Coordinates of all heavy atoms in Angstrom, one line a residue:
T19 N -41.7 -46.5 -96.1 CA -41.8 -46.4 -94.7 C -40.5 -46.3 -94.0 O -40.2 -45.6 -93.0 CB -42.6 -47.6 -94.2 OG1 -43.9 -47.6 -94.8 CG2 -42.8 -47.5 -92.7
F46 N -29.6 -43.6 -71.7 CA -30.5 -43.9 -72.8 C -29.9 -43.8 -74.2 O -30.6 -44.2 -75.2 CB -31.8 -43.0 -72.7 CG -32.6 -43.2 -71.5 CD1 -32.4 -42.4 -70.4 CD2 -33.5 -44.2 -71.5 CE1 -33.2 -42.6 -69.2 CE2 -34.3 -44.5 -70.3 CZ -34.1 -43.7 -69.2
L74 N -39.1 -57.5 -106.4 CA -38.3 -56.6 -107.2 C -38.2 -57.1 -108.6 O -38.3 -56.3 -109.6 CB -36.9 -56.5 -106.6 CG -36.0 -55.5 -107.3 CD1 -36.5 -54.1 -107.3 CD2 -34.6 -55.6 -106.7
D84 N -44.4 -51.1 -107.4 CA -43.6 -49.9 -107.5 C -42.5 -50.0 -106.5 O -42.6 -50.7 -105.5 CB -44.5 -48.6 -107.2 CG -45.5 -48.4 -108.3 OD1 -45.3 -48.9 -109.5 OD2 -46.6 -47.8 -108.0
L131 N 16.1 -85.4 -69.3 CA 15.8 -86.8 -69.7 C 17.1 -87.5 -70.1 O 17.4 -88.6 -69.8 CB 14.8 -86.9 -70.8 CG 13.3 -86.7 -70.3 CD1 12.4 -86.6 -71.6 CD2 12.8 -87.8 -69.4
L209 N -6.0 -40.7 -71.4 CA -7.0 -40.6 -70.4 C -6.4 -40.0 -69.1 O -7.1 -39.1 -68.5 CB -7.5 -42.0 -70.1 CG -8.6 -42.1 -69.0 CD1 -9.8 -41.3 -69.4 CD2 -9.0 -43.6 -68.8

Side-chain angles (χ1 to χ4, degrees):
T19 304
F46 294 96
L74 181 64
D84 295 334
L131 285 171
L209 178 61

